[in-house]
Amino acid sequence: MVVTRRGVLLAGSGSAFGLFSWQAEAQSRRTKRQLALPRRKSARPRNILIVLTDDHRYDAMGFMKAQSFGETPTLDRLAREGVHFKNAFVTTALCSPSRASILTGLYAHQHKVVDNNHAIDPNLVFFPEYLQAAGYDTAFVGKWHMGQEGDAPQPGFDHWVSFKGQGTYLPGPDGLNVDGKRVPQKGYITDELTDYATDWLKTRRKDKPWMMYLSHKAVHAEFIPAERHAGRYEHETFRYPATMAPNGDAARGRPRWVQDQRNSWHGVDYAYHSKLDIGAYYKRYMETLLAVDESLARVMDLLAARGDLDDTLILYMGDNGFMFGEHGLIDKRTAYEESMRVPMIARCPALFGHNVVEEVVANIDVAPTFLEAAGLEPPKEMEGKSFLPLARGEKVSWRSELLYEYYWERNFPQTPTVHALREDRYKYVHFHGIWDIDELYDLHADPRETNNLLAAPGHEELAAQMSTKLFDLLERTDGMQIPLARDAGQRNALRDPRGPLQGTFAPSLLEPPAKRALGWLKQKLHTRSA
């Protein structure tokens, strides 16, 4: 039998379940003294609110004007009054790994929640546990969904409202778990979670700091907008991405696996094994987001009425991006910008004013940021850094590159294991386990990632340098192992027999060896002379 921190004991083959709680054991192993962090001198603890949405891509906000429709007045207000982190990313574009990185400040290869099936290591410490030890009241309301966790209360939270797995937009048979008790879901999930959040906030004492983690199910597929929003954008025009085309300049240098993925569960030609209309799908997505924007408005109005709004650090972000046809794909997982880039906006006039931050920040930076806002020094083992100095407009030493990682899933076999290094200008993407070319993009000249510089000779030296940096970073953070997981979940591996049968190899793999070697030599000589 294998004990995990899922709140259950898995017995035999996994078909039998018995109750087991990790809450008491976690508390016995980690005392308040062990969780106590050094306090920053003269720092005043701030209230903290994180609002996390699911699959919300970086440009799906009104003020970003990605399309001619899609209103988000509250998010627009947050950006106008606070800080917009223009280049915010996740280090793994998948729900469970990203959420674990937010809570721990660690890369997926460090916290080991590398997919949606891996269990949570009971030795992991979540940032709310440090806040509790420092005297904070803490609450979690919404979607947990890490490592096939159930909905049992987790360490670090005094108040708990959640649901199993993805949950349901409309009332379902499982209902909610409220502080360990089963409670029916009464209505539309975004509205109901907001009710629970505001009910808890109304009872907060003025003399004690608090942290609320409001984690929406929205806007995860299948998108179901609130009844009041259904059809809002039905007659609007969706602009399809140029990189959705199967051929032409936008497809130059695509790896073969990307071409093949078009005809798959995560491709535009056989999306979810159907003939999905990407434009109609996006419209439902934006309709579903409307209730989230209204939810944030309700919470901010309550904080204003209590006199807490300007003294509360509000952070809004998505757990990963989402592709709507870019590169012929849908969903996430890949290292393309639309997959790994997320919205991130913060507001707290007591700590910083209006600003736009250009530096690359990430989900691993959230935990140390909140700890600094609480007047605490983050533990050294966290890989992320507090971005409060950036929010204040200070010139500080910051990262020059960000690691991205995704590990192949048997139940979604379309995307290989991916490691990428994203610098300010260049992005290098390295694949494991497939016979194909890697990718290298000049993000300044080619922000839509349409021209893979490794599809033709000329940039081998740069790719080699970035590969060295990538593996140096992995070695430093103990990330040189590819995890293996037991089979789990439905295997979505079908192809449309009427669709394209296979992709083609990049031209660079079809060159005569002598020509390839000559191109590499010319590049080497040019680099030396420069």
Side-chain angles (χ1 to χ4, degrees):
M1 293 188 292
V2 179
V3 176
T4 76
R5 190 182 176 180
R6 286 183 258 183
V8 295
L9 179 64
L10 305 187
S13 64
S15 59
F17 295 84
L19 295 180
F20 185 90
S21 173
W22 275 99
Q23 184 75 31
E25 180 167 336
Q27 294 302 325
S28 68
R29 275 196 263 173
R30 294 190 292 275
T31 66
K32 187 173 182 180
R33 181 183 298 273
Q34 290 171 322
L35 291 169
L37 296 174
R39 293 186 178 272
R40 301 170 67 90
K41 293 181 179 179
S42 304
R44 177 187 165 193
R46 306 292 174 177
N47 297 326
I48 297 169
L49 168 67
I50 176 173
V51 179
L52 181 69
T53 43
D54 198 309
D55 291 352
H56 190 182
R57 55 183 278 154
Y58 78 100
D59 61 356
M61 296 181 287
F63 72 93
M64 293 293 288
K65 302 187 183 303
Q67 298 282 339
S68 61
F69 61 93
E71 297 85 17
T72 57
T74 312
L75 291 176
D76 295 359
R77 173 194 171 187
L78 210 63
R80 187 170 61 250
E81 298 178 358
V83 175
H84 177 212
F85 296 91
K86 285 183 63 178
N87 293 296
F89 293 84
V90 294
T91 49
T92 303
L94 189 61
C95 292
S96 296
S98 180
R99 289 163 185 265
S101 291
I102 290 170
L103 283 162
T104 64
L106 301 173
Y107 286 113
H109 66 262
Q110 294 173 313
H111 59 60
K112 308 300 183 185
V113 184
V114 295
D115 55 31
N116 289 343
N117 302 315
H118 268 74
I120 297 171
D121 184 339
N123 295 310
L124 283 176
V125 181
F126 303 144
F127 77 79
E129 296 181 78
Y130 294 118
L131 296 181
Q132 277 184 324
Y136 271 71
D137 285 338
T138 62
F140 182 90
V141 177
K143 177 178 176 178
W144 180 251
H145 186 52
M146 273 198 295
Q148 287 196 337
E149 289 285 347
D151 55 12
Q154 294 291 319
F157 299 100
D158 302 311
H159 179 53
W160 181 266
V161 180
S162 191
F163 43 76
K164 293 180 179 179
Q166 298 287 357
T168 55
Y169 282 104
L170 303 176
D174 290 330
L176 305 175
N177 184 318
V178 180
D179 292 327
K181 296 181 180 179
R182 184 64 53 201
V183 176
Q185 179 182 336
K186 298 176 183 178
Y188 186 68
I189 191 63
T190 305
D191 297 341
E192 189 157 357
L193 294 178
T194 308
D195 291 341
Y196 278 105
T198 53
D199 286 347
W200 186 80
L201 289 172
K202 289 174 184 176
T203 64
R204 293 309 90 213
R205 290 165 38 185
K206 290 289 187 177
D207 61 346
K208 192 173 185 181
W210 53 262
M211 188 281 297
M212 160 69 71
Y213 197 126
L214 178 53
S215 177
H216 285 293
K217 170 183 172 56
V219 279
H220 194 281
E222 288 290 322
F223 314 128
I224 300 178
E227 186 176 356
R228 63 187 179 275
H229 299 139
R232 171 80 64 87
Y233 302 128
E234 181 180 357
H235 301 295
E236 299 290 347
T237 300
F238 175 74
R239 294 194 299 268
Y240 290 86
T243 59
M244 185 171 165
N247 302 303
D249 290 343
R252 186 166 61 246
R254 273 187 193 146
R256 184 176 181 176
W257 73 264
V258 178
Q259 301 174 57
D260 283 340
Q261 192 173 139
R262 293 182 64 95
N263 181 4
S264 79
W265 180 266
H266 288 149
V268 294
D269 294 332
Y270 203 30
Y272 305 131
H273 296 164
S274 70
K275 293 299 182 184
L276 181 73
D277 183 315
I278 301 299
Y281 199 50
Y282 182 86
K283 293 174 186 179
R284 290 201 303 274
Y285 175 82
M286 294 304 294
E287 290 171 355
T288 305
L289 184 63
L290 288 168
V292 173
D293 195 82
E294 291 176 353
S295 166
L296 181 58
R298 285 180 56 193
V299 174
M300 291 179 67
D301 287 345
L302 172 61
L303 294 178
R306 286 175 51 88
D308 293 338
L309 180 60
D310 289 350
D311 201 37
T312 298
L313 173 56
I314 301 174
L315 180 71
Y316 179 95
M317 67 178 295
D319 68 347
N320 49 248
F322 202 87
M323 294 178 288
F324 283 93
E326 287 86 4
H327 311 282
L329 309 179
I330 62 168
D331 205 78
K332 55 259 188 180
R333 293 175 168 82
T334 71
Y336 292 125
E337 295 285 281
E338 296 83 5
S339 170
M340 61 184 285
R341 195 171 169 189
V342 295
M344 185 182 285
I345 313 171
R347 182 188 188 278
C348 186
L351 291 176
F352 49 78
H354 171 65
N355 192 11
V356 177
V357 171
E358 299 285 348
E359 287 88 348
V360 169
V361 299
N363 52 354
I364 58 174
D365 300 323
V366 172
T369 298
F370 286 165
L371 294 177
E372 181 182 340
L376 304 172
E377 294 288 350
K380 294 180 180 179
E381 57 267 24
M382 285 186 175
E383 282 297 323
K385 297 172 61 178
S386 170
F387 48 65
L388 286 184
L390 298 178
R392 293 191 292 262
E394 298 174 9
K395 297 297 182 183
V396 294
S397 175
W398 198 249
R399 64 171 56 92
S400 57
E401 64 263 332
L402 181 70
L403 170 69
Y404 177 85
E405 58 186 333
Y406 165 79
Y407 297 96
W408 178 81
E409 303 164 276
R410 182 171 173 80
N411 50 332
F412 295 104
Q414 299 85 4
T415 306
T417 292
V418 179
H419 285 90
L421 193 73
R422 190 195 188 279
E423 298 180 343
D424 177 56
R425 179 172 180 181
Y426 292 102
K427 181 194 290 184
Y428 171 68
V429 190
H430 184 281
F431 304 111
H432 297 266
I434 55 172
W435 179 20
D436 215 327
I437 59 171
D438 291 330
E439 293 177 283
L440 178 66
Y441 295 104
D442 183 339
L443 297 173
H444 288 185
D446 180 27
R448 299 299 180 188
E449 299 168 296
T450 62
N451 181 25
N452 180 10
L453 299 176
L454 296 182
H459 292 85
E460 291 83 3
E461 186 77 12
L462 175 59
Q465 293 171 2
M466 295 190 71
S467 178
T468 298
K469 287 184 182 180
L470 171 65
F471 282 99
D472 285 348
L473 202 163
L474 285 169
E475 283 187 336
R476 180 183 65 77
T477 59
D478 196 25
M480 291 295 286
Q481 303 83 30
I482 295 179
L484 182 65
R486 287 183 177 274
D487 291 355
Q490 176 180 333
R491 186 162 163 79
N492 300 287
L494 301 180
R495 290 173 65 81
D496 185 352
R498 295 161 295 182
L501 296 180
Q502 63 184 30
T504 57
F505 280 115
S508 61
L509 295 182
L510 304 176
E511 293 177 347
K515 182 179 179 182
R516 183 71 170 179
L518 180 60
W520 179 86
L521 180 60
K522 287 181 178 179
Q523 172 67 15
K524 192 83 171 177
L525 293 173
H526 174 74
T527 302
R528 287 179 178 175
S529 63

